[in-house]
């Protein structure tokens, strides 16, 4: 249940900020991480996937910036 809002948050972030701005902060590639992972990529310092919790936290922060 807790992962169901994540795609909707992604859509809202894309609508409000645009593709380029959102993709600077969160990726869409599979990570192999558990859904509750809060690890960021060491090189880019961003979440590799919006479905893991790290990505969801970033999307929520972006939504609050709107």
């Amino acid at each position: 249940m807790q992962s169901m809002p994540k795609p909707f948050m992604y859509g809202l972030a894309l609508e409000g900020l645009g593709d380029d701005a959102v993709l600077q902060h969160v990726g869409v590639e599979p990570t192999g991480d558990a859904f509750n992972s809060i690890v960021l990529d060491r090189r880019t310092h961003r979440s590799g996937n919006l479905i893991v919790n790290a990505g969801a936290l970033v999307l929520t922060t972006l939504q609050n910036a709107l």
Side-chain angles (χ1 to χ4, degrees):
M1 281 291 274
Q2 72 186 42
S3 289
M4 290 175 61
K6 293 173 184 176
F8 296 106
M9 292 294 293
Y10 182 62
L12 290 171
L14 289 175
E15 183 179 348
L17 298 170
D19 295 359
D20 292 334
V22 174
L23 292 175
Q24 286 180 2
H25 300 284
V26 64
V28 293
E29 297 298 322
T31 62
D33 295 336
F35 78 93
N36 59 351
S37 172
I38 57 169
V39 177
L40 299 177
D41 184 288
R42 286 184 159 174
R43 291 174 292 130
T44 63
H45 302 288
R46 69 180 194 147
S47 172
N49 190 304
L50 66 113
I51 299 298
V52 297
N53 281 353
L57 291 168
V58 170
L59 288 176
T60 301
T61 302
L62 289 175
Q63 281 300 116
N64 289 331
L66 293 176

